Amino acid sequence: MMMTATPSVSVTQSVLLDLYPQFLAALLAGDHRRCGELVDQALAMGVPILVIYQQIFQQALYQVGEEWAQNRISVGVEHLATAIVEGLLNRLYSRLITPHQNGRRIIIGSVEGELHQIGAKMVCDVFEMHGWEALYLGADTPTAELLRTVRDLRPDAVGLSLSVYSHLGRLLDAVELIRSGFPDLPVLIGGQGLRRVGANPIHDPKVHYASDLDTLECLISSLSETAAQETPP
C-alpha cells in the first residue's frame, strides 16, 4: 500500500495561506459546498485535521465574530457560518476517532448562559483523538446539572468553555463549586472569552487553561500519564 507522506510545516503553511482566505470568503457568503470542497483539498494535501480545526475553522470563526462585533455582518450570517463549521466538524468526526480507548472520560460543558458550542465540540474531538471518552453536555449547561452529572458519572476530568467574556464570573463560580465538591478532579478551562484575560485566571494547580488546541494536546498527554500512574495495577 502506498503511504502518503506528511507535508512539512512550510508546505502546510503554504497550503493554509492559499486556502484560508478562500474558506473565510465562502463562509461569510454562506457557501457550505465551497467550504466543504476547500476542507477536502486541505485533507488531500495532507494537512492534519487538528491544523484544519485550529488554523481554518477556529481562526475563521474568530474573524466572523469580529465582523459581527463591528456590525459588518448580520446575526444571520454569523449563525449560518457557525452552522457550516459545525456541519464540517460532524463530517470529519469519523476520520479522527481512534479504535484504541484508554478508559478515561471527560465531561465538557459550555458555561451557563453560553450559547456557543463549537469550541467545546472541538475540544471533545481532540480528546477522542487521544482515546478518551468525551461527553459534551451542550450549550448553556446549568451548573447544578453539570455537578450532578459529574457526581453520577465520575469522570477523570471536567472541561468548561467560555466564549463570551461577560460570563467570566459564571465560569469562576462553576469552577469553585467543582473544586469544592470534587477536590481531586482536574478542571480544564478555555474558549474565546478567556483571550482577553491572557492567562489562567484561576491560581489552582488542578485548574488548567487550554489557550489553544496545541496546548490542549499537551494537557491531554499530561492528564493521561497522571491517570495511568494513579490506576492500581
Side-chain angles (χ1 to χ4, degrees), residues 8-126:
S8 66
V9 173
S10 61
V11 171
T12 296
Q13 290 303 317
S14 176
V15 171
L16 293 172
L17 286 172
D18 178 49
L19 293 185
Y20 172 73
Q22 298 181 62
F23 182 86
L24 178 61
L27 195 63
L28 290 170
D31 190 343
H32 67 92
R33 289 188 178 86
R34 181 57 178 158
C35 288
E37 291 171 356
L38 291 166
V39 170
D40 289 340
Q41 287 182 35
L43 291 170
M45 294 176 184
V47 178
I49 288 180
L50 194 64
V51 174
I52 293 173
Y53 272 30
Q54 183 156 293
Q55 298 192 38
I56 294 183
F57 294 166
Q58 188 179 64
Q59 187 174 333
L61 287 176
Y62 281 169
Q63 185 60 43
V64 167
E66 182 63 25
E67 294 292 310
W68 174 81
Q70 297 298 322
N71 204 30
R72 291 193 285 260
I73 62 172
S74 68
V75 172
V77 170
E78 189 265 344
H79 284 188
L80 180 56
T82 300
I84 288 172
V85 173
E86 189 164 1
L88 292 169
L89 289 177
N90 293 336
R91 203 178 87 179
L92 292 176
Y93 181 76
S94 62
R95 290 174 173 262
L96 56 85
I97 298 304
T98 174
H100 307 293
Q101 302 298 306
N102 61 19
R104 312 300 174 199
R105 171 187 289 166
I106 183 168
I107 291 174
I108 295 175
S110 297
V111 172
E112 190 166 353
E114 285 280 355
L115 301 179
H116 298 82
Q117 62 181 24
I118 284 188
K121 292 184 73 173
M122 286 186 185
V123 170
C124 285
D125 287 354
V126 178

Side-chain angles (χ1 to χ4, degrees), residues 162 165 168 192-202 209:
L162 179 76
Y165 176 74
L168 178 61
Q192 189 175 6
L194 288 171
R195 297 177 76 194
R196 289 178 56 182
V197 179
N200 192 345
I202 303 173
Y209 172 38

